[in-house]
Structure formats: structure tokens, C-alpha cells
């Protein structure tokens, strides 16, 4: 059998920087109080630009990436979940939430020391688990909880009243944060944070768009370590700047034909969070010449997309790019509300057909050969409607494989069963293992 | 007359079809109890709540992954099996992600003439929910007007509000009798009464309720009430479960569930603005946990009910995989127990293991009776 084309590969130059930013983020959060700073916790979907108006020494720890970090350490993840189960919480609840609560109940911080208690919790209400997560955490830690309801329907149906509903809640939350921290809110800092938020999420969408190239300059397993920065604090200048650097490097990789996977001959996307403790399934697929170029999850959880002039899907233009000057608090809040409500990964909460349409768009524009859906028992929010997505994709003629698992609870993931399903899917796609790829992985 | 509710409960689909033939009106399937039925009543439509059947089913697996609650799958199964084929339209008021799947799969695979999604606020405690939801109720009214081809007048709205309020008032009156020492009705009977109000023409239901209210003062249970219990938790319209509980020395005297009291507990309070009156009613009702933010306002309401109805214990009924309730129950359990209400937690599916549940209920009742054991 002929050996498929081998593309040149090389490591990402900014990889160490991504790692450093992430490490510094958790360190800053843990030590914020030592420096007189403010700590808040909440979700990766919280309006994280808003608390930035409280000062430059305000640090956040978003719960999902924190729990995902723990999930990689299967032993500690289990201890956390056991601690949560022991308090009577149902085992089928969001596994990130169960891990975060467990770490809090055990008073053990994954990155060392005691669990750092936040000064307040700040969250959006779109997923049934998200708001319960911070409601319980705030009661346990005895700190305030600000919850912004964003259940205003899909972005394509957004009206002035629906936007106003969100904006008014954001105004209220600022008053609450001022009372909680005793600090005077600085609108200029909010405006800067909103610009950075738009910049980083638009840049991430641009980076994902660059993955339309053949060979793909990035593979999804690598993207997991890059998109995560936006989930940590997308409104941070440091992160927006990093994405600019990353965008330039990825652009350069595309220009030079640098691949993420050397024997790329089949392109797929996946869906929802992966089973974090078992990312090797992506490496296994590479032995067949398969590259996962992303997913609606890696793209649209934080990337903000919009229709481009040529009709394709790409980065939404930022207020700065549109020449919009944000003059005051209300304008800043309106922009961040509108921006976040257009998040691709929020749309499917209302109707799976919207997600199917987005996935079909990815299939066509990213030139895909198939889709793998993770029926993720750990996350009701991102698995909602997945079965209808499967039917919709099949109806459109797209090969689809599903596997059951859990992003953070290894008890609900069967590795052997999943690899067997992958093998069958590869066979369906007419792919056989590439000996050179297998040997190269075995040697690495 | 009280038997009429059970008859309706069993023959709900026949009733809806006959109603349609009799009146020529439109039948609208309501997903979740947050749909403002006043608008539908004002338009002379029959709102029919989409519920399950408590039978095993094998038709929903391709549509809703098995990690979602059995209720949402059981309800969808009824549609896929053609049992709701008389519906002219479907409406969902935003609630939990589980039931939204039922609505969406319904829209995709069981097309109807009219389909509408109301983005009902999920943080009902914020004051901003009021003006926002009023506008959404107005939009819903306009969509209905467009569908039926004529405007809904202020008089129609008044009639809709009063029709719903009257039914709520009568249900509250009937529930008052459950506070008595000598109970005139069982929890099972009360369940039939409350659940049927969610799919029977409200006027007709109210007429029967009025007749029943005349009978209740003279009515006596043919048995001792036993331990007075409260049912609290997820959606539950499993009459067989209540029947079993009441066969082992207890009576369910009050519930805090969407198939029961949560559905009808508060009335719309006219404030000069009819649509705001309707919108506020749904924001002020005893909340489903999915809407109870940022504080657990529901807990005190549950305790008040337990005290008012002198419940000696509470069965916390947890629909499997129901995140909103799963996110409340451990704290609710603690709260009730700290306030002297012992609890029994049971996990529910669309079909329930009555044998094992019976053993647990019996043990719970023995615990409550305590000193009477030896």
C-alpha cells in the first residue's frame, strides 16, 4: 500500500508561553488576597469583563477549566467527586461542578495549598447546572452570588428588549460588586476589558478559521491547550495579546504548509468536551491519518464568529475594527451583552437545528470527511440536542460516529469500547492504520 | 363527582379529541407549566399539558440521549406514538434543558400548524424580569392572534385571566380541606384533581370542582388518615405511587410539585395592565428550582406548606437526571429536617419499582411513628 503524503510539522513556538500564562493565572488567583487584591469565581461563560472595572488587581478562577485540570489527575478528580457524593449530591450532575465542589469541600487547591475562597461568585444562567453550581458554592463559602440570566433565546431572534434585560442585570451586578468589595467601579477599566474580550474571542475565531487550510496547521488536541486561555479570562490584555501572537504564528504555518498531523488525509470534527483523562484517543486517530480540526466546542465556546462578506464563517468584527468608540458604562455593557449572546455555543441551548446548521457549515468550509459526537454524560448543557444533531448530520449525508463518555468522571468512559468504535468508524471511512504513523508514535 | 377527575386522567386524549369535535377550537400542547395559559384561554383554545404515560417505551433513544430525564423522554414518546395527534400547536416556555429537547424534537418530527417558544426568564427574582416578560407575553399574544386570524380583545384577556384564576381559587379551596384532621380526600384523588386541570377545559374543570367542593364537607375517607405526608420535588403524576403510599398507613396531604400545587398556587393579580398581570403571575408563582435564583426562595414556601398542612414527613421525589431538583435537594432535605420535617428521598423513573419503594415508605412511616413501634 502506498505511503500517504507526509507533511512537514513543527512545534508551536508560542506553546511555552501559553503554558506560562495558565500557570501564572492560577498563581495570581491563589495569592491575590496576599497583595490586597480581589478574587472572584464563576463560569467560563460569565461576563468576565465586568468585574475588571473593580481594579487591576482583580483575579478570577473560572470553574470549568479548573475542574478540567483536575480531571487530568484521575486520582484527585475521584477524591473530589467522592467528597461531593458524600454530601448527598447526585452522581449524574455536571462532573466539573462535582469536582469543583469537591475541591472546595476538601479545602484542597489543585495547584497547592488550601482552596482559595473567592470574594464573590459571578455567573450566567443558561445551563441548568451552571447557576446551581455557584448558588451552592456561594452558600458554602458564605459569599455573594451574582447571577445573570441570559435565557433570551437564540441570537438570530435578539430584540432590544431581550438585550436590555441582560444589560440591566449587568448594571445591577456592578452595584452589588461595589458593595461587596467596597471599591469604586472604574468604567474606563470596563471599557478596556470589553475591547480585550472582543479582541481575544474574535482572534480565536480567526485562528480557528485558519484551520480551513489543508493541511490543518492545528489539531484539536493542541487547540484544547490554546482555547482554554479564553475560558480563563478572555477580557485580559495578556490573553488577547497572546492570541494575536498565536494568530500570526498559525498564519505563518499555513503559508509554509506546516501541518499538525503529518499524514493528514482525513479531516473530522468532534463535539463537546473530550474525556480529559483520555486525550490519547486523538493520537490514536492520527495513526489512521485523521486530524480533528476542532469542534463547535473548541471553536464556539469562546470564539465569536459571524458571516463574512464572501458568505463564509469567520471572526466577528470587533467594535474597534468597526470604528466604534465605547463612551460609557452602558455602552460597554450593551456591547459585551450583545457580543456574548452571539456566542455559537449558546445557540444550541435553544434549538438543536441551529447547531446542526453550524456543524454542516463546518463540514463544508473546513472540508471534513466526518463528525464524531461525544455523548458526554458529564455535561448536560453541551450534550443537549446531540441526538438530533446526529440525525441532522446523517440526513445531510455526513458520516457520524458517537461514543459515550464523561469529560471528567472516568468511571463513565470505556477506553477500549471507544477505540473499537473509532476503528469501526475508520473502516467506514475507508481508512487503514498508517504503519509509519503508528511507528512514529510508538517511538515518541 | 370526584371520580370524574380520575376518569379524565385516564381518558385525557379522548376528551381532547371530543372537545375539538364539539367546539371546533384549537388544541395547543403546552410544554412545562410556565406557558401563560390565560392567552390561550382568551383565544378559546384548549391548553393540554404534555405529560408522559409511565409505560416503558423504546422510541425516543434516537432523539434524546439517555442521560436526560425520563420525564422528557416519556413525554416525547407520547408524541412519537401518535397519542397527541390532535394537537394544532405546541408552545414551550423556557424552563430546563431536558424538557426543551422534548419540545425541539417534537417540532422537528411532529410538525404542527403553530409552534412557539417563549424565552421566559430563568432568574425570576430579578426586578428586570417583569418588564421583559411582559413584552414576551405580548409577543406571544400577537403570535396567537396571527395564528387564529383575529385580535384578542381586552375583554378576551379579562375572561382568560378570570377563567384561570377561578380554577386556581377552586383548587386552593379544595386543597384547604386537606388541612383537616378528618380528611375528605386522598392524595391520589387530589393528584387527579390537580393534574387534570392542566389538560381539561378550565370552565368544565371548574364546574366539576364546584360540585366537588359541595360534597367535600360531608365526605369522609373510609380509613384512618395515618401519617400525614408531603410530596415534594420533580414533576410527578404517577398516581400508582400515591396509591401505594396511601395503602400503607399514610395520606399525602400536600404537595409542592409542578403537577400539583406549584401549577395553580397563585392567581394573576390585576394591576391595570393585563399583560403585565399575566406575566407577573408566572414570575411570582412558587418557582421550579430551574428558576429559583439567586436565593432558594422555594425552601421557605415548602416549609410553610408542610406546617400549614401539618405534614409529619416529606417524600422528596427526584426525577432521575433532573439537574434543577438535584441541585436543590441535599440542601432542601437538610432545611426540612432542621425544621422538624423528616424526609425520605426517592429517585423516580418513568416506571417505578413500587415493591422496593413500598418497603422504603413503610420503613419511613415506622420511623415517623417511632414510639408506637414497641
Amino acid at each position: 500500500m502506498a505511503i500517504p503524503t507526509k507533511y512537514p510539522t513543527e512545534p508551536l513556538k508560542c506553546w511555552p508561553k501559553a503554558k506560562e500564562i495558565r500557570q501564572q493565572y492560577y498563581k495570581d488567583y491563589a495569592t491575590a488576597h496576599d497583595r490586597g487584591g480581589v478574587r472572584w469565581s464563576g463560569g467560563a461563560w460569565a461576563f468576565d469583563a465586568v468585574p475588571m472595572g473593580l481594579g487591576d488587581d482583580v483575579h478570577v478562577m473560572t470553574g470549568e477549566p479548573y475542574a478540567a485540570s483536575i480531571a487530568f489527575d484521575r486520582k484527585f478528580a475521584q477524591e473530589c467527586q467522592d467528597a461531593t457524593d458524600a454530601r448527598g449530591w447526585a452522581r449524574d450532575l455536571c462532573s466539573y461542578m462535582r469536582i469543583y465542589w469537591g475541591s472546595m469541600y476538601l479545602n484542597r487547591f489543585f495547584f497547592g495549598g488550601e482552596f482559595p475562597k473567592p470574594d464573590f461568585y459571578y455567573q450566567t444562567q443558561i445551563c441548568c447546572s451552571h447557576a446551581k453550581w455557584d448558588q451552592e458554592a456561594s452558600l458554602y463559602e458564605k459569599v455573594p452570588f451574582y447571577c445573570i440570566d441570559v435565557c433570551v433565546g437564540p441570537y438570530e431572534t435578539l430584540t432590544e428588549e431581550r438585550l436590555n434585560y441582560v444589560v440591566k442585570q449587568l448594571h445591577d451586578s456592578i452595584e452589588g460588586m461595589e458593595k461587596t468589595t467596597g471599591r469604586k467601579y472604574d468604567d474606563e477599566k470596563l471599557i478596556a476589558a470589553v475591547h480585550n474580550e472582543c479582541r481575544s474571542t474574535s482572534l480565536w475565531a480567526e485562528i480557528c478559521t485558519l484551520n480551513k487550510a489543508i493541511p490543518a496547521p492545528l489539531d484539536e488536541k493542541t487547540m484544547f491547550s490554546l482555547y482554554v486561555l479564553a475560558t480563563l479570562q478572555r477580557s485580559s490584555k495578556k490573553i488577547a495579546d497572546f492570541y494575536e501572537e498565536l494568530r500570526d504564528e498559525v498564519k505563518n504555518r499555513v503559508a509554509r504548509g506546516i501541518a499538525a498531523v503529518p499524514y493528514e488525509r482525513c479531516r473530522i470534527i468532534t463535539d463537546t468536551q473530550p474525556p480529559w483523562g483520555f486525550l490519547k484517543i486523538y493520537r490514536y486517530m492520527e495513526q489512521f491519518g485523521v486530524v480533528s480540526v476542532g469542534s463547535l466546542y473548541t471553536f464556539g465556546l469562546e470564539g465569536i464568529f459571524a458571516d463574512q462578506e464572501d458568505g463564509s464563517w469567520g471572526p466577528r468584527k470587533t467594535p474597534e475594527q468597526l470604528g466604534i468608540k465605547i463612551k460609557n458604562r452602558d455602552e460597554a455593557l450593551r456591547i459585551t451583552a450583545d457580543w456574548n449572546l452571539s456566542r455559537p455555543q449558546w445557540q444550541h441551548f435553544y434549538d438543536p437545528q441551529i447547531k446542526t446548521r453550524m456543524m454542516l457549515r463546518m463540514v463544508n468550509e473546513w472540508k471534513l470527511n466526518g463528525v464524531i459526537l461525544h455523548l458526554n454524560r458529564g455535561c448536560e448543557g453541551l450534550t443537549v440536542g446531540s441526538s438530533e444533531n446526529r440525525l441532522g448530520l446523517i440526513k445531510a449525508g455526513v458520516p457520524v460516529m458517537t461514543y459515550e463518555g464523561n469529560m471528567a468522571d472516568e468511571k463513565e468512559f470505556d477506553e477500549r469500547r471507544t477505540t473499537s468504535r473509532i476503528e469501526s468508524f475508520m473502516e467506514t471511512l475507508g481508512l487503514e492504520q498508517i504503519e509509519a504513523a503508528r511507528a512514529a508514535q510508538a517511538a515518541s | 363527582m370526584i371520580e370524574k377527575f380520575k376518569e379524565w386522567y385516564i381518558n385525557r386524549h379522548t376528551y381532547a379529541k371530543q372537545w375539538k369535535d364539539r367546539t371546533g377550537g384549537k388544541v395547543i400542547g403546552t410544554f412545562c407549566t410556565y406557558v401563560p395559559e390565560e392567552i390561550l384561554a382568551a383565544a378559546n383554545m384548549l391548553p393540554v399539558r404534555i405529560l408522559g404515560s409511565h409505560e416503558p417505551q423504546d422510541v425516543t433513544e434516537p432523539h434524546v440521549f439517555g442521560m436526560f430525564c425520563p420525564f422528557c423522554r416519556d413525554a416525547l414518546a407520547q408524541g412519537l406514538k401518535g397519542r397527541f395527534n390532535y394537537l394544532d400547536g405546541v408552545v414551550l416556555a423556557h424552563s430546563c434543558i431536558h424538557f426543551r429537547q422534548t419540545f425541539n424534537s417534537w417540532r422537528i418530527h411532529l410538525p404542527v400548524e403553530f409552534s412557539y417558544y417563549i424565552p421566559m426568564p430563568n432568574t425570576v427574582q430579578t426586578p428586570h424580569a417583569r418588564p421583559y416578560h411582559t413584552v414576551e407575553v405580548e409577543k406571544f399574544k400577537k403570535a396567537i392572534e396571527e395564528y387564529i386570524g383575529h385580535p384578542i380583545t381586552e375583554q378576551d384577556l379579562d375572561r382568560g385571566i378570570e377563567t384561570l384564576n377561578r380554577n386556581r381559587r377552586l383548587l386552593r379551596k379544595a386543597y384547604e380541606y386537606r388541612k383537616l384532621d378528618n380528611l375528605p380526600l386522598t392524595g391520589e384523588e387530589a393528584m387527579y384533581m390537580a393534574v387534570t386541570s392542566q389538560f381539561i377545559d378550565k370552565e368544565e374543570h371548574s364546574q366539576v370542582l364546584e360540585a366537588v367542593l359541595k360534597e367535600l364537607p360531608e365526605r369522609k375517607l373510609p380509613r384512618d388518615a395515618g401519617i400525614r405526608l408531603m410530596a415534594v420535588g420533580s414533576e410527578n403524576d404517577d398516581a400508582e405511587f400515591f396509591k401505594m403510599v396511601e395503602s400503607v398507613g399514610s395520606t399525602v396531604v400536600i404537595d409542592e410539585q409542578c403537577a400539583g400545587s406549584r401549577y395553580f398556587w397563585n392567581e394573576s393579580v390585576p394591576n391595570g395592565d393585563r399583560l403585565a398581570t399575566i406575566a407577573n403571575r408566572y414570575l411570582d408563582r412558587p418557582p421550579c428550582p430551574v428558576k429559583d435564583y439567586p436565593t432558594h426562595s422555594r425552601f421557605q414556601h415548602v416549609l410553610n406548606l408542610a406546617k400549614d398542612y401539618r405534614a409529619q414527613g416529606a417524600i422528596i421525589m427526584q426525577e432521575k437526571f433532573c439537574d434543577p431538583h438535584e441541585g436543590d435537594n441535599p440542601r432542601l432535605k437538610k432545611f426540612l429536617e432542621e425544621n422538624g420535617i423528616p424526609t425520605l428521598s426517592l429517585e423516580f423513573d418513568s416506571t417505578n419499582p413500587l415493591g422496593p419503594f413500598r418497603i422504603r415508605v413503610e420503613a419511613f412511616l415506622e420511623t415517623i411513628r417511632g414510639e408506637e413501634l414497641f
Side-chain angles (χ1 to χ4, degrees), chain A residues 101-282:
Chain A
W101 283 352
S103 174
M104 176 181 76
Y105 295 143
L106 293 169
N107 196 23
R108 280 169 59 191
F109 190 46
F110 181 57
F111 299 98
E114 294 188 348
F115 186 80
K117 177 179 171 173
D119 297 303
F120 60 88
Y121 280 93
Y122 198 49
Q123 181 59 289
T124 45
Q125 221 287 36
I126 188 162
C127 158
C128 293
S129 303
H130 261 152
K132 285 290 169 203
W133 176 337
D134 294 278
Q135 190 176 39
E136 164 60 15
S138 74
L139 285 168
Y140 183 80
E141 300 278 29
K142 298 184 175 59
V143 295
F145 168 41
Y146 304 108
C147 177
I148 311 294
D149 181 10
V150 294
C151 300
V152 294
Y155 188 66
E156 62 194 27
T157 65
L158 188 66
T159 60
E160 195 60 16
E161 293 85 7
R162 293 177 181 181
L163 183 67
N164 280 340
Y165 173 55
V166 178
V167 172
K168 284 176 186 170
Q169 293 176 76
L170 292 173
H171 274 290
D172 284 0
S173 72
I174 290 175
E175 284 174 29
M177 283 185 252
E178 280 183 317
K179 276 184 201 153
T180 299
T181 60
R183 292 186 172 201
K184 186 156 170 47
Y185 196 80
D186 184 337
D187 290 341
E188 289 306 315
K189 289 191 192 305
L190 166 71
I191 291 167
V194 169
H195 277 305
N196 283 325
E197 173 187 35
C198 297
R199 193 158 64 95
S200 60
T201 49
S202 177
L203 278 164
W204 178 248
E206 189 180 347
I207 292 160
C208 296
T209 306
L210 289 168
N211 239 18
K212 288 180 183 177
I214 296 176
L218 297 171
D219 65 295
E220 192 179 16
K221 187 172 178 295
T222 302
M223 292 169 89
F224 288 141
S225 300
L226 302 169
Y227 93 101
V228 74
L229 299 181
T231 72
L232 299 178
Q233 196 175 15
R234 59 188 177 277
S235 61
S236 129
K237 183 176 182 307
K238 195 196 282 184
I239 287 169
D241 289 346
F242 171 80
Y243 280 137
E244 222 161 78
E245 197 180 324
L246 175 65
R247 187 266 321 267
D248 293 344
E249 187 180 345
V250 176
K251 246 185 184 173
N252 181 267
R253 285 169 75 94
V254 172
R256 292 187 296 121
I258 303 298
V261 171
Y263 294 102
E264 175 183 322
R265 59 173 171 168
C266 172
R267 297 158 66 88
I268 62 154
I269 51 167
T270 67
D271 185 39
T272 85
Q273 306 91 326
W276 290 113
F278 300 90
L279 291 181
K280 58 186 171 188
I281 59 173
Y282 288 85

Side-chain angles (χ1 to χ4, degrees), chain B residues 4 7-8 11-25 27 46 86 204:
Chain B
K4 186 71 184 169
E7 188 191 317
W8 275 336
N11 302 309
R12 65 186 79 174
H13 299 302
T14 306
Y15 172 87
K17 284 175 195 163
Q18 286 173 351
W19 180 93
K20 200 170 168 171
D21 291 343
R22 193 172 74 230
T23 65
V27 184
L46 175 66
Y86 50 83
E204 208 173 327

